[in-house]
Amino acid sequence: MRHVIAAFAALLASTAPLALSSARAQPVEVDINKGVLQPLPIAVPPFSGADARTTELGGQIADVVSKDLERSGYFKPVPPSTFPEKTLNVNIQPQLAAWRQVGAQALVNGLASIDADGRLRVDFRLWDVYNQSQLVGTQFTSTPDNWRRVAHKIADAVYKRLTGEDGYFDTRIVFVAESGPRGHRVKRLEIMDQDGANPAFLSSGKETILSPRFSSSNQQITFASLTKDAIRVYLYDLETGRRETIGEFQGAMAFAPRFSPDGSHVALSVERNGNTDIYVYDLRSRESRRLTSDPSIDTSPSYSPDGGQIVFTSDRGGSPQIYSMSSSGGGAHRISFGSGQYTTPVWSPKGDLIAATKQTGGQFHIVVMHPDGSGERTLTSSFLDEGPTWAPNGRVLMFSRETPGAGPRLWTVDVSGRNERLEPYPGGATDPAWSPLLK
């Protein structure tokens, strides 16, 4: 649990994961692998503050924590109108019997304060209402303008303590923001927090952005840029804003890039003389190497978490299907055998599943399968669902959905196929990519 919160503070107190039950003898936990899940009722009252400023921040932090947990589908916030205590002291145990009477099984309370050096300090507690015991006590420090990240860190800590899995709230999404009429769409690179907050453009709109992807090891993204005369792949440093081209593929077009797990290489597609193959570009030596040699179209490479395998899309069998090969090239074999066409495969961070876009029956679907292609399951279906990306805990996928007469929007779904929902970002958006947990 400690690594979840190491970027902001020390873990003051914790206990091992427990098991959900309405029986008083059993501690509280959410079993997220149950076939039918009833969200856990959780109360997140406004955090208290030492003055007007910190009282306002405390209320905002609690609101973000509550919304993070609710969107996961595993928690049901208790309505504020039913709260039995309006003001809580983080150093005094709440009247947990009273919170049980309003249906809460877990309770989060906290205190926001500003230290002498001007830094924001947030103390929070997670309580097991049924057993009237503290599960977590933690303190985070940050700058006051970074309060949203503190809230996401708290939500991550609560999520992990009650589900046993890492959280995914302190993350960002990079994507292609679309605007303008259908025949003249402007496609810009944009980034935002996973809950839609703090959106910011990273490109001017003078070029068409395609397939942005995060590095798992540093603050970099890679993407393809289409202009009137060329298509190129770039690296973009989020801390400095510096952009550089990946490779010089003379007489060719490069696109569909994706980082290796350690961030040292980028696999990408290169089209030359009508043939498209997968290459790997070494970011240290600045040299590229060809991985496939086939007269078909090979594209959309994605590394396995251990870096040993790459899945990709190829039409070498007559239609777009998913293939797997060694990350050094060779040994390519087909793993998708369902009816329809498969594109945009992406390996889960856990390594247990591959997600992809599937087109069949006049619809597009987001599907998952095991790395050998077995156990395929359909998670979503609509007029146009495409481009899945995994949350860093391998539990949630984001994708873009377009419906007739409306532009594309960002959606999420649990890997079980439950909790399908529209994301807060209000504009047109495609090609989402989820960051790792921020540090």
Side-chain angles (χ1 to χ4, degrees):
M1 183 182 300
R2 289 176 172 82
H3 69 279
V4 176
I5 57 177
F8 274 82
L11 182 61
L12 301 182
S14 66
T15 55
L18 306 170
L20 174 63
S21 172
S22 60
R24 188 181 184 90
Q26 294 297 320
V28 64
E29 183 194 56
V30 181
D31 184 351
I32 62 179
N33 295 308
K34 292 173 65 175
V36 178
L37 178 71
Q38 293 297 324
L40 178 77
I42 189 168
V44 190
F47 290 8
S48 58
D51 51 33
R53 180 189 183 194
T54 52
T55 296
E56 180 181 12
L57 282 175
Q60 293 171 328
I61 289 169
D63 183 61
V64 170
V65 171
S66 179
K67 289 178 178 177
D68 277 350
L69 296 174
E70 189 277 331
R71 282 199 315 276
S72 75
Y74 299 128
F75 300 91
K76 180 181 180 181
V78 174
S81 61
T82 68
F83 289 173
E85 295 179 278
K86 302 306 180 184
T87 303
L88 295 175
N89 187 325
V90 76
N91 297 313
I92 300 175
Q93 179 169 312
Q95 299 175 22
L96 297 176
W99 288 95
R100 181 178 179 181
Q101 291 299 314
V102 300
Q105 294 189 37
L107 169 68
V108 179
N109 73 313
L111 168 68
S113 59
I114 302 295
D115 289 338
D117 62 359
R119 293 180 64 79
L120 172 67
R121 184 178 70 193
V122 181
D123 296 89
F124 96 94
R125 306 286 185 265
L126 171 63
W127 300 91
D128 179 341
V129 171
Y130 274 74
N131 285 287
Q132 300 192 29
S133 61
Q134 179 179 297
L135 299 179
V136 178
T138 305
Q139 181 185 102
F140 296 120
T141 59
S142 184
T143 57
D145 61 357
N146 217 23
W147 65 267
R148 293 191 69 93
R149 281 205 61 198
V150 174
H152 294 320
K153 287 286 185 182
I154 292 171
D156 281 334
V158 172
Y159 182 97
K160 181 167 186 178
R161 183 59 187 81
L162 295 179
T163 69
E165 294 198 2
D166 288 337
Y168 58 92
F169 305 115
D170 188 28
T171 56
R172 293 185 288 183
I173 307 294
V174 66
F175 59 98
V176 176
E178 298 195 6
S179 61
R182 183 172 294 274
H184 297 86
R185 300 290 279 175
V186 176
K187 297 186 177 184
R188 299 175 66 181
L189 185 64
E190 189 166 1
I191 193 170
M192 66 180 182
D193 297 348
Q194 58 78 28
D195 61 351
N198 300 317
F201 289 115
L202 302 178
S203 69
S204 65
K206 296 181 180 179
E207 58 192 329
T208 296
I209 301 299
L210 305 170
S211 58
R213 299 291 181 260
F214 266 102
S215 169
S216 62
S217 61
N218 52 47
Q219 292 296 303
Q220 282 187 322
I221 57 175
T222 182
F223 61 92
S225 169
L226 176 64
T227 59
K228 291 182 179 180
D229 58 353
I231 181 170
R232 296 183 176 89
V233 171
Y234 290 94
L235 288 180
Y236 186 97
D237 190 300
L238 291 168
E239 294 182 348
T240 66
R242 182 173 180 267
R243 178 199 285 205
E244 63 176 300
T245 306
I246 291 182
E248 293 294 337
F249 299 94
Q250 298 296 329
M253 295 191 298
F255 54 96
R258 193 179 293 269
F259 285 98
S260 62
D262 64 1
S264 65
H265 294 75
V266 172
L268 69 162
S269 296
V270 176
E271 189 274 332
R272 180 180 282 115
N273 299 324
N275 186 44
T276 303
D277 281 299
I278 293 173
Y279 286 66
V280 61
Y281 183 77
D282 190 321
L283 297 175
R284 296 165 298 193
S285 68
R286 305 294 174 175
E287 295 179 351
S288 62
R289 185 165 57 88
R290 186 173 177 174
L291 297 184
T292 64
S293 298
D294 194 276
S296 62
I297 297 174
D298 297 336
T299 188
S300 301
S302 174
Y303 283 91
S304 60
D306 64 5
Q309 299 288 314
I310 289 177
V311 290
F312 61 99
T313 298
S314 177
D315 64 356
R316 63 184 63 188
S319 67
Q321 298 292 328
I322 300 176
Y323 288 75
S324 179
M325 67 177 175
S326 166
S327 60
S328 60
H333 60 283
R334 179 174 167 179
I335 64 171
S336 63
F337 290 94
S339 60
Q341 301 179 359
Y342 296 78
T343 55
T344 65
V346 56
W347 222 303
S348 165
K350 292 182 177 180
D352 58 337
L353 294 170
I354 293 168
T357 303
K358 180 179 180 180
Q359 181 182 5
T360 184
Q363 287 191 312
F364 284 77
H365 319 268
I366 302 300
V367 300
V368 293
M369 65 187 73
H370 296 304
D372 63 0
S374 64
E376 181 180 318
R377 292 185 290 114
T378 299
L379 303 185
T380 75
S381 299
S382 83
F383 173 75
L384 180 55
D385 287 357
E386 62 179 349
T389 181
W390 291 94
N393 68 350
R395 188 74 210 183
V396 182
L397 293 110
M398 185 176 287
F399 59 97
S400 66
R401 167 174 290 175
E402 186 170 353
T403 55
R409 299 287 300 277
L410 297 180
W411 288 69
T412 55
V413 65
D414 186 82
V415 72
S416 66
R418 298 187 296 259
N419 196 38
E420 185 178 315
R421 62 175 63 203
L422 178 66
E423 285 303 286
Y425 181 76
T430 60
D431 278 340
W434 217 313
S435 80
L437 281 171
L438 299 177
K439 298 178 181 179

